């Protein structure tokens, strides 16, 4: 049966699965229910091997093709976690866990890959092995890295790996991606400026950390504008400030939190070094002690050239070449699939979610009409990359 017909026959079940996940969102590594449902569905579909608990709560399914003369293996990856957001969609399957919400469409990603896994396990018209990877903790927990460290690619040495994310306001049935770096590295800043607390009416007896803080904020913005090549995309955003709680007390210390996004490792190193210099030297110029903890989180997401063309070819077969673009505008948003692409050649593609609220917005919802497009893309990619040999 062609994948299109299979989707038409199974779409109600897939939508019900997606809506059940939507109603029961789970955060980070706590995706126990979701992972359990995925593993049960894979087993029920006759997937050859189902491994749970990889990278704490990740799930891997292994599907053998009707032959394996190629000896090749490809990985397809979806993410399962939700976000700490209070949902305001008003849907009849709205989150039953207030403060948790599938606001990034990972309920849809999981469902599209599950649909493809079911079809592939049922039909097996391919030559080689497919690994379906369902990861926890994409939203800030580096679940992809946890699965890799737990042996994902040692146990299943994939030749290629592919990911997919929905994109609001890209029309349904459209796909977009780009070769090379197209999502930013994500780093965290924690700055502490320590002075000496005292009476607000006698500042000469204290060391006020506020002037140092003001200088540091200005210098960071100046650094960004003046010391980084204007053609290098990057951003430093200061997002939280803490310290002091009275009208008449100079606080002992102040803290500042923020994020740095960069598109290549050289700029990343440069920005980290400049920030360290700025924080310590400006603080000491004000007789304070400045400390910066710079935490590297997700790396730059870099799509490999050949695999990106394979992904685009598969999407073009499903959606028509005119509906697939290879000129996606890069974003400084992060995506932990970058960890997988640093290990195995592959590509992250974006699938149209149609008109919708943006990702991470309390009114966002994954579009069920994208499920068929997404499952068909996965299956077509497998059929093209692991083309069945004539029997
Ligand atoms: Zn997200
Ligand atoms: Zn996401």
């Amino acid at each position: 049966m062609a994948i299109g017909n299979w989707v038409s026959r199974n779409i109600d079940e897939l939508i019900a699965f997606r809506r059940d996940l939507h109603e029961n969102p789970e955060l980070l590594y706590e995706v126990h229910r979701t992972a359990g449902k995925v593993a049960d569905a894979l087993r029920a579909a006759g997937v050859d091997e189902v491994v749970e608990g990889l990278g704490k709560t990740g799930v891997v399914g292994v599907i053998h093709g009707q032959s394996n003369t190629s000896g090749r293996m490809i990985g397809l990856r979806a993410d399962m976690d939700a976000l700490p957001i209070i949902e305001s969609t008003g849907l009849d399957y709205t989150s039953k866990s207030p403060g948790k919400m599938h606001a990034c469409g990972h309920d849809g990603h999981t469902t599209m890959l599950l649909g493809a896994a079911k079809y592939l396990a049922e039909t097996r018209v391919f030559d080689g092995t497919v690994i379906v990877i369902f990861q926890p903790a994409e939203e800030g927990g580096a679940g992809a890295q946890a699965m890799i460290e737990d042996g994902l690619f040692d146990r299943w040495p994939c030749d290629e790996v592919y990911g997919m994310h929905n994109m609001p306001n890209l029309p349904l049935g459209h796909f977009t991606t780009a070769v090379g770096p197209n999502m930013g590295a994500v780093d965290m800043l924690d700055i502490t400026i320590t002075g000496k607390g005292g009476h607000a009416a006698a500042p000469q007896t204290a060391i006020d950390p506020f002037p140092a803080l003001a200088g540091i904020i200005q210098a960071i913005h100046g650094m960004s504008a003046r010391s980084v090549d204007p053609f290098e995309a990057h951003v430093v955003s200061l997002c939280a400030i803490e310290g002091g709680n009275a009208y008449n007390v100079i606080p002992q210390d102040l803290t500042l939190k923020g994020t740095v996004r960069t598109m290549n490792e050289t700029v990343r190193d440069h920005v980290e070094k400049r920030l360290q210099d700025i924080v310590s030297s400006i603080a000491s110029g004000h007789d304070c002690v400045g400390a910066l903890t710079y935490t590297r989180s997700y790396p730059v997401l870099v799509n490999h050239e050949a695999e990106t063309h394979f992904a685009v070819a598969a999407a073009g077969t499903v959606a028509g070449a005119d509906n697939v673009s290879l000129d996606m505008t890069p974003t400084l948003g992060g995506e932990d699939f970058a960890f997988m692409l640093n290990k195995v050649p592959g590509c992250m593609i974006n699938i149209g979610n149609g008109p919708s609220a943006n990702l991470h917005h309390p009114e966002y919802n994954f579009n069920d009409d994208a499920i068929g497009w997404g499952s068909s893309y996965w299956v077509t990619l497998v059929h093209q990359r692991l083309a069945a040999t004539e029997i």
Side-chain angles (χ1 to χ4, degrees), residues 199-235:
H199 199 297
Q204 76 282 5
T205 66
I207 300 171
D208 187 349
F210 273 100
L213 175 82
I216 286 169
I217 292 171
Q218 282 204 319
I220 286 175
H221 291 150
M223 178 278 296
S224 218
R226 302 284 84 187
S227 89
V228 181
D229 181 344
F231 284 98
E232 292 288 358
H234 74 287
V235 74

Side-chain angles (χ1 to χ4, degrees), residues 83 104 106 138-139 165 359-360:
L83 284 156
C104 205
H106 299 184
E138 193 288 320
E139 299 287 1
H165 206 291
L359 300 173
H360 296 204

Side-chain angles (χ1 to χ4, degrees), residues 55-326:
K56 297 185 187 151
T57 40
V59 179
V60 174
V62 182
I63 311 166
H64 298 297
Q66 64 189 14
S67 58
N68 189 20
T69 53
S70 71
R72 300 185 75 246
M73 182 179 279
I74 72 170
L76 312 177
R77 168 273 199 183
D79 38 17
M80 300 187 286
D81 57 319
L83 284 156
I85 291 175
I86 298 169
E87 180 163 354
S88 60
T89 57
L91 293 165
D92 56 6
Y93 53 93
T94 202
S95 168
K96 290 196 291 198
S97 303
K100 298 180 189 175
M101 174 188 177
H102 268 295
C104 205
H106 299 184
D107 49 347
H109 302 167
T110 298
T111 305
M112 292 189 290
L113 184 56
L114 181 66
K118 285 181 168 192
Y119 175 86
L120 292 169
E122 220 172 283
T123 55
R124 299 182 187 259
V125 188
F126 59 96
D127 178 58
T129 307
V130 172
I131 306 298
V132 286
I133 304 162
F134 296 87
Q135 74 153 84
E138 193 288 320
E139 299 287 1
Q145 187 181 33
M147 289 188 81
I148 292 167
E149 286 174 354
D150 212 0
L152 175 65
F153 294 129
D154 303 320
R155 280 173 86 169
W156 300 285
C158 293
D159 297 292
E160 298 167 20
V161 67
Y162 295 91
M164 176 159 53
H165 206 291
N166 77 94
M167 183 179 274
N169 302 315
L170 180 68
L172 265 178
H174 285 232
F175 292 81
T176 186
T177 186
V179 171
N182 74 14
M183 295 187 80
V186 179
D187 299 331
M188 269 94 74
L189 297 178
D190 284 279
I191 297 168
T192 305
I193 304 146
T194 307
K196 189 175 131 198
H199 199 297
Q204 76 282 5
T205 66
I207 300 171
D208 187 349
F210 273 100
L213 175 82
I216 286 169
I217 292 171
Q218 282 204 319
I220 286 175
H221 291 150
M223 178 278 296
S224 218
R226 302 284 84 187
S227 89
V228 181
D229 181 344
F231 284 98
E232 292 288 358
H234 74 287
V235 74
V236 183
S237 285
L238 300 171
C239 303
I241 184 168
E242 268 175 40
N245 58 7
Y247 290 101
N248 58 353
V249 178
I250 290 169
Q252 179 88 0
D253 44 44
L254 296 170
T255 63
L256 204 52
K257 291 182 205 289
T259 185
V260 175
R261 307 297 173 99
T262 47
M263 273 299 193
N264 76 52
E265 292 296 326
T266 311
V267 175
R268 194 180 198 186
D269 291 345
H270 172 77
V271 169
E272 177 176 358
K273 181 174 182 315
R274 292 294 299 126
L275 289 172
Q276 293 285 6
D277 293 347
I278 285 167
V279 170
S280 60
S281 61
I282 291 182
S284 71
H286 289 273
D287 216 9
C288 295
V289 175
L292 164 65
T293 305
Y294 191 98
T295 310
R296 292 188 177 218
S297 179
Y298 298 175
V300 180
L301 183 138
V302 183
N303 281 333
H304 298 246
E305 184 163 4
E307 287 69 22
T308 303
H309 289 290
F310 299 149
V312 164
T317 302
V318 171
D322 290 350
N323 296 324
V324 182
S325 78
L326 195 47

Side-chain angles (χ1 to χ4, degrees), residues 34-49:
T34 309
K37 288 206 62 139
V38 167
D40 288 347
L42 292 174
R43 277 189 286 261
V47 164
D48 298 289
E49 191 186 345

